Amino acid sequence: MANALSSNSAGATMERFRLDGKVCVVTGGARGIGRAIAVGLKDAGGIVVLADIDIDGAQLCGEQIGADAVQLDVTDARSIERAFDTVADRHGRLDVLINNAGVVRNAAASDTDDAAWRAVMAVNLDGVFYCCRQAGQLMLKQGGGSIVNVASMSGSIANRPQPQASYNASKAGVIHLTKSLAAEWAPGRVRVNSISPGYVATELTQAGLANEAWRDAWVNGTPMGRLATPDEIAPGVIFLASEASAFMTGSDLVIDGGYTIW
């Protein structure tokens, strides 16, 4: 009897990670971490929509994994409004938003002009706010939802040896924006959390990995002695998106192989 009860309890626990029938939008979902997240959401039963400025790439990815696709430029509030209206028209609701789109520029702060600074902030911080705002309006009306913002360990530390003040500042902004929205929207049953990956082997880090000094510093600075793969980040996002994290909001989940403990 005890074993049966334990088995039933385990089954009920695992069910809380399911997203069956939930409409899930992933920005920057055509490749890298975004694609891995989309696959994870799909595996958990979600109805996945890839929202990407590269609509051809999003549609191709969608065909490969069984997901819908819409074009979205996170730097353009009008584009975001159109994309989310399309999602609502096609699927009737929005249950989960993953704000994953991001860019990085490795340049010394003293050499960063206004345009370069704004280009990073426009994608990494402004875009997250615009998408949260649009999703929040829909979710508050329908009585709830879950938003997961992809921040970075760089929002809590200053990376070395590469210079990237604009990226670090933008991701710190994402973490605090997450907390602020979580506090504001909790009464409306909209949860907002963030996830902070460490170094992950993606297109975003290819240039850095090609630099031997940077690659060695990244690997040697990580207690686990390697970079993550995108599919090692996705499960944390599924956790935050699902009812498994029902009592979490305003939290930042760090997945960095131990980098920030040194």
Side-chain angles (χ1 to χ4, degrees):
M1 177 65 73
N3 287 340
L5 289 174
S6 176
S7 176
N8 290 338
S9 176
T13 297
M14 294 309 297
E15 281 298 310
R16 296 176 69 84
F17 289 87
R18 298 294 302 173
L19 291 163
D20 297 291
K22 301 290 186 182
V23 179
C24 310
V25 171
V26 184
T27 71
R31 59 185 59 80
I33 294 175
R35 180 191 173 99
I37 291 170
V39 170
L41 293 169
K42 183 74 177 174
D43 287 347
I47 299 168
V48 178
V49 182
L50 307 174
D52 205 296
I53 194 169
D54 175 14
I55 186 59
D56 292 336
Q59 288 174 337
L60 177 60
C61 180
E63 292 170 3
Q64 293 169 341
I65 71 173
D68 193 5
V70 295
Q71 189 166 34
L72 175 147
D73 178 355
V74 297
T75 69
D76 182 345
R78 283 290 186 86
S79 172
I80 292 167
E81 184 177 353
R82 288 192 298 270
F84 280 73
D85 284 348
T86 298
V87 172
D89 289 343
R90 290 180 184 174
H91 303 286
R93 60 186 293 110
L94 172 63
D95 299 293
V96 174
L97 167 65
I98 313 299
N99 278 310
N100 166 74
V103 296
V104 64
R105 288 177 183 248
N106 297 122
S110 56
D111 296 328
T112 301
D113 61 23
D114 295 354
W117 173 269
R118 281 304 320 151
V120 172
M121 292 296 167
V123 174
N124 292 2
L125 185 54
D126 298 352
V128 171
F129 173 70
Y130 295 157
C131 288
C132 283
R133 179 177 62 188
Q134 198 67 32
Q137 291 171 358
L138 293 170
M139 291 176 176
L140 289 167
K141 287 179 182 177
Q142 71 190 21
S146 179
I147 297 173
V148 183
N149 296 324
V150 179
S152 170
M153 68 175 184
S154 303
S156 301
I157 62 166
N159 299 67
R160 60 188 178 92
Q162 76 278 15
Q164 53 182 51
S166 58
Y167 182 82
N168 297 353
S170 70
K171 292 302 186 177
V174 168
I175 293 170
H176 204 67
L177 174 64
T178 297
K179 295 177 183 295
S180 301
L181 296 179
E184 185 173 335
W185 292 345
R189 299 175 60 83
V190 176
R191 297 188 300 113
V192 190
N193 292 288
S194 61
I195 193 162
S196 284
Y199 290 113
V200 184
T202 66
E203 290 182 9
L204 204 65
T205 55
Q206 277 184 350
L209 290 171
N211 183 315
E212 185 176 355
W214 290 15
R215 182 180 66 251
D216 289 349
W218 296 357
V219 172
N220 293 335
T222 303
M224 292 185 72
R226 64 178 178 86
L227 274 63
T229 60
D231 59 4
E232 291 177 311
I233 305 302
V237 176
I238 308 309
F239 167 63
L240 292 177
S242 72
E243 286 301 303
S245 61
F247 199 57
M248 287 179 67
T249 196
S251 296
D252 181 51
L253 180 61
V254 180
I255 304 178
D256 67 351
Y259 189 94
T260 58
I261 63 178
W262 279 350

